[in-house]
Amino acid sequence: DAEGRDRSGAGAVIRGTGWQTASLALAIPGLLVAGYLTYSHYDTGALVCTIGDCKTVQNSPYAEIAGIPISILGMGMYLAVIGLGFLRRTRPAWASTATMAAFALVLSGAVYAAYLTYLEIAVIEAICQWCVTSAVLTLGILVAEGVLLWRFLGAGESEIA
């Protein structure tokens, strides 16, 4: 149609490269933060925290799942968002699928980040500035991917810039 959406669902063109760029621009620092948290998980002397008590959070039993640092899950999410973003840009026929997958992935990441933030506040009683940074970046990506999904589904008839 005139707004750049293929209503048949196959090969949908999603306008809004600004939102695509925002998603990518937030995923890259998210990957760096998650990578830093993973590195500092194994080298606790590398952890620098100017606000809060990152060491308490990093040493809590909630910092791992089955012995694997949860920051590795974050790295996987951010890498997947970056990969899906490039897929969306280079393979327009896959744009709708990539957008739905990115939104679903980041929605689950945002819900998990909210749970972890709850644990920091209510259970661990310590806040990690890097964890909060990752949660905020995830929320920003969720907004960007949500707008892109909204446009793809055709619900955003007025242009959302």
Side-chain angles (χ1 to χ4, degrees):
D1 69 3
E3 293 178 354
R5 286 185 293 269
D6 175 0
R7 300 263 183 200
S8 69
V13 175
I14 301 173
R15 301 237 183 233
T17 55
W19 290 106
Q20 292 177 42
T21 301
S23 181
L24 182 63
L26 294 169
I28 291 170
L31 178 61
L32 295 173
V33 168
Y36 172 68
L37 285 172
T38 300
Y39 176 76
S40 64
H41 179 84
Y42 295 107
D43 181 3
T44 56
L47 185 60
V48 176
C49 189
T50 58
I51 301 170
D53 188 0
C54 300
K55 287 188 192 304
T56 299
V57 175
Q58 278 281 67
N59 291 323
S60 78
Y62 304 101
E64 294 182 344
I65 296 176
I68 299 169
I70 58 170
S71 55
I72 290 178
L73 294 175
M75 288 176 61
M77 180 191 73
Y78 291 121
L79 279 170
V81 168
I82 291 166
L84 289 165
F86 281 118
L87 180 66
R88 181 171 39 216
R89 286 177 184 249
T90 59
R91 304 275 190 215
W94 286 87
S96 61
T97 302
T99 299
M100 286 186 271
F103 179 78
L105 180 64
V106 177
L107 178 60
S108 63
V111 169
Y112 191 59
Y115 169 69
L116 292 173
T117 302
Y118 160 77
L119 289 175
E120 286 183 74
I121 295 167
V123 178
I124 303 168
E125 297 180 351
I127 298 289
C128 169
Q129 71 187 30
W130 301 108
C131 302
V132 172
T133 299
S134 180
V136 169
L137 290 169
T138 300
L139 186 60
I141 296 168
L142 181 64
V143 169
E145 293 296 336
V147 169
L148 291 167
L149 183 62
W150 180 267
R151 286 182 171 181
F152 166 72
L153 294 175
E157 292 303 323
S158 63
E159 283 298 311
I160 303 170

